[in-house]
Amino acid sequence: MTALPRLSLNQATVNRLSVSEAADLCARHEIEAIGLWREQVAAAGLAAAARAVRAAGLRVSSLCRGGFFTHADPAARQAAIADNKAAIAEAAALGTGTLVLVSGGLVPGSRDLGLARRMIADAIGELVPTAQAHGVRLGIEALHPVFAADRCVITRLGEALDLATQFPADAVGVVVDTYHVWWDAALLADIARAGERIVSYQVCDWILPLPANTLRGRGHVGDGHIDFPPITAAVAAAGYAGDIEVEIFNEAIWAAPPDETADTVRKRFPLVF
């Protein structure tokens, strides 16, 4: 196989596999990095998951996810802070310097976007000392506006960056996920502005028609409407030289043989450039 040194397979793309199964898949297909999800890590056990990744010779490009800070109940908010502190420690134990944040939607019972955004900023501020102590950067991910009500009120990369720059660069950065931000007319300018704040670059395609569950409407690179090369070039020009994660939520892809999926991911990866 041809080496693809920056390719990372995000575990969500093959979400029916355990950590060890996904790590073995990457090793078979000479994919050198993997993005892990906390649910699968917890199922395996943190130490066992770390061993499985090391045994496969992989690096962990990111851990997903922290966040979900927008709780009306003070006890629930404190539980979220505690869970995020645990996630930071897990990221460090797995050997990755990036914890991806999906920050949270509207506060239950409220339509106040400003309130939700203030709660997210306050929560991230509480996490900064823990992130710095563990050498982990919090990656604020902007999600497409269709997910604003229930998953993330941060909907543009520029908004994520404005939030991140309130905190030290060694603790808080941004995630560029093509699926969520490709449509934004200010995207390339915001990527240039982000510079060293970019902590992760994730790719998949926007396909139509959207399924009833829009969360699972992502496609393989090349199957949809996103013009990847200008985005990738902008990310590179901003100074990001890390792994590029292929992260796909799609029922048909999840049901496909994992080796077929990994093969397609490898074959399509050059289209990103």
Side-chain angles (χ1 to χ4, degrees):
M1 294 183 183
T2 303
L4 299 171
R6 296 183 64 195
L7 172 60
S8 175
L9 181 67
N10 187 286
Q11 195 174 8
T13 307
V14 287
N15 78 338
R16 297 178 184 176
L17 299 186
S18 68
V19 172
S20 61
E21 290 169 338
D24 289 345
L25 178 73
C26 288
R28 287 199 302 276
H29 290 267
E30 297 186 5
I31 297 172
E32 299 176 358
I34 188 169
L36 294 177
W37 277 69
R38 293 183 70 204
E39 292 85 350
Q40 283 95 334
V41 169
L46 180 60
R51 285 196 301 271
V53 171
R54 288 196 301 268
L58 307 178
R59 60 184 176 271
V60 180
S61 51
S62 73
L63 178 65
C64 196
R65 66 185 184 257
F68 288 96
F69 301 119
T70 52
H71 298 278
D73 177 56
R77 183 185 181 280
Q78 285 307 308
I81 295 295
D83 183 61
N84 276 268
K85 289 180 178 179
I88 291 167
E90 291 163 16
L94 291 165
T96 180
T98 300
L99 174 67
V100 177
L101 300 183
V102 177
S103 299
L106 290 170
V107 178
S110 170
R111 295 189 177 96
D112 190 338
L113 285 163
L115 171 64
R117 289 168 177 150
R118 289 192 298 273
M119 292 179 73
I120 291 166
D122 290 345
I124 291 173
E126 287 190 50
L127 295 174
V128 163
T130 303
Q132 289 176 315
H134 285 85
V136 172
R137 298 174 80 188
L138 307 173
I140 303 170
E141 182 173 8
L143 266 60
H144 190 280
V146 74
F147 302 111
D150 62 341
R151 303 187 74 79
C152 188
V153 295
I154 310 298
T155 61
R156 296 179 52 253
L157 179 64
E159 184 184 356
L161 181 60
D162 289 343
L163 176 55
T165 53
Q166 297 177 36
F167 307 103
D170 66 343
V172 185
V174 296
V175 177
V176 179
D177 184 327
T178 57
Y179 179 78
H180 292 300
V181 299
W182 68 278
W183 54 274
D184 188 352
L187 176 60
L188 299 185
D190 285 333
I191 290 173
R193 185 165 65 95
E196 65 173 348
R197 294 278 181 168
I198 300 173
V199 300
S200 179
Y201 181 35
Q202 298 178 332
V203 297
C204 69
D205 220 334
W206 182 278
I207 57 173
L208 295 175
L210 294 176
N213 185 342
T214 51
L215 183 65
R216 301 177 181 182
R218 306 185 185 200
H220 279 292
V221 170
D223 282 350
H225 300 272
I226 297 177
D227 187 11
F228 291 95
I231 302 174
T232 302
V235 169
Y240 181 78
D243 293 311
I244 301 174
E245 292 186 7
V246 176
E247 183 188 54
I248 304 172
F249 294 75
N250 185 297
E251 293 281 359
I253 291 171
W254 291 343
D259 284 287
E260 176 183 302
T261 296
D263 185 58
T264 301
V265 164
R266 279 186 53 88
K267 288 178 178 175
R268 300 290 185 85
F269 189 63
L271 299 178
V272 170
F273 303 92

